[in-house]
Amino acid sequence: MKAGTFIDTAIPLDDRNKMEQSALLETVMFMDGTPPRTQAFGMRGPELRGTTFDNWWDGVVLIDRNGAEFSRKDVCIYLANKEGGAHVDPKLDTQFDSIRNQTSGTVTQLPSGKTMIHSPDLVLPTMRQIAAELLYSLDSDYSYQPPIPNVPHARCSGASVMEVAPDADESSVFDDAPNLPKSRPQINGKNIGRNDLCHCGSGKKYKKCCLMNR
């Protein structure tokens, strides 16, 4: 089955962003004071695109505030070990602690004037979306849409707060390039970013060169 096409619903992650980011989740903000909800995207037409298993499995879908990156492989193996009762690598457990328990969260202004901070566990809903992608990849008749109450609300994807480095490239990250793979090349000991010059020497940015052709 790994030779087939796998559905990738991830939104682009911006390596200039200094906050945590989630490529497979959306936050629903309710206007009636209902607590915000962070949930899987579901299967929506415009975001559906096919890729190889290796690209899908290795692509970065979560980034914590310290810049640690997590692929679908990381999420699945972590949960299989942690929630399944198997041995857990202490390093992996420590890395996931920040994305599960130390997210900055979203802030909602309630009608009463009070503010409410919503700090979600990003890992479990990310796993829900990974499962939806896999099921849809194997059966195109599969469909999943997360339930949303019929009340006024706003939906946002990715990071709710974006803190960009002062010297960041101002060009838009929302282009056709897929998300970065965890196994991407390094330059001077640092993983190459979307807007870095490509390691192949073409003179193009990585997102416009080898990232598009992998």
Side-chain angles (χ1 to χ4, degrees), residues 14-205:
D14 191 341
D15 54 341
R16 304 168 303 166
N17 192 356
K18 301 307 177 184
M19 303 293 285
E20 62 268 358
Q21 300 180 72
S22 53
L24 297 176
L25 305 180
E26 66 180 5
T27 298
V28 184
M29 311 292 289
F30 300 101
M31 307 307 178
D32 64 350
T34 300
R37 176 187 302 171
T38 298
Q39 61 187 19
F41 278 145
M43 309 309 294
R44 298 204 299 269
E47 290 85 2
L48 303 183
R49 54 188 181 276
T51 189
T52 66
F53 173 79
D54 288 340
N55 287 348
W56 181 80
W57 193 229
D58 189 46
V60 175
V61 294
L62 283 173
I63 302 177
D64 72 11
R65 67 178 66 188
N66 299 313
E69 299 176 344
F70 306 91
S71 64
R72 291 175 179 85
K73 176 182 178 180
D74 293 327
V75 173
C76 291
I77 290 178
Y78 167 77
L79 288 175
N81 288 339
K82 182 69 173 179
E83 308 297 337
H87 171 71
V88 179
D89 184 329
K91 181 180 179 181
L92 184 65
D93 200 26
T94 300
Q95 288 176 330
F96 267 95
D97 177 67
S98 67
I99 205 70
R100 296 200 73 173
N101 303 310
Q102 301 177 33
T103 57
S104 62
T106 55
V107 179
T108 302
Q109 186 78 29
L110 300 178
S112 64
K114 295 182 179 180
T115 57
M116 176 172 56
I117 299 177
H118 173 57
S119 298
D121 173 356
L122 301 179
V123 175
L124 294 181
T126 293
M127 184 67 245
R128 180 64 185 86
Q129 185 64 11
I130 293 172
E133 290 179 328
L134 177 61
L135 290 169
Y136 189 91
S137 298
L138 301 178
D139 179 4
S140 60
D141 291 331
Y142 171 81
S143 179
Y144 169 69
Q145 299 297 340
I148 300 177
N150 187 26
V151 298
H153 64 272
R155 301 163 77 167
C156 59
S157 305
S160 57
V161 179
M162 188 167 182
E163 178 185 333
V164 179
D167 59 347
D169 183 344
E170 293 301 320
S171 62
S172 173
V173 70
F174 294 101
D175 47 46
D176 294 331
N179 274 336
L180 296 168
K182 278 199 70 178
S183 60
R184 63 190 184 274
Q186 292 189 339
I187 296 179
N188 297 325
K190 182 180 178 182
N191 282 340
I192 191 169
R194 293 174 71 89
N195 291 304
D196 291 338
L197 290 178
C198 194
H199 61 288
C200 72
S202 66
K204 299 179 181 179
K205 291 182 179 181

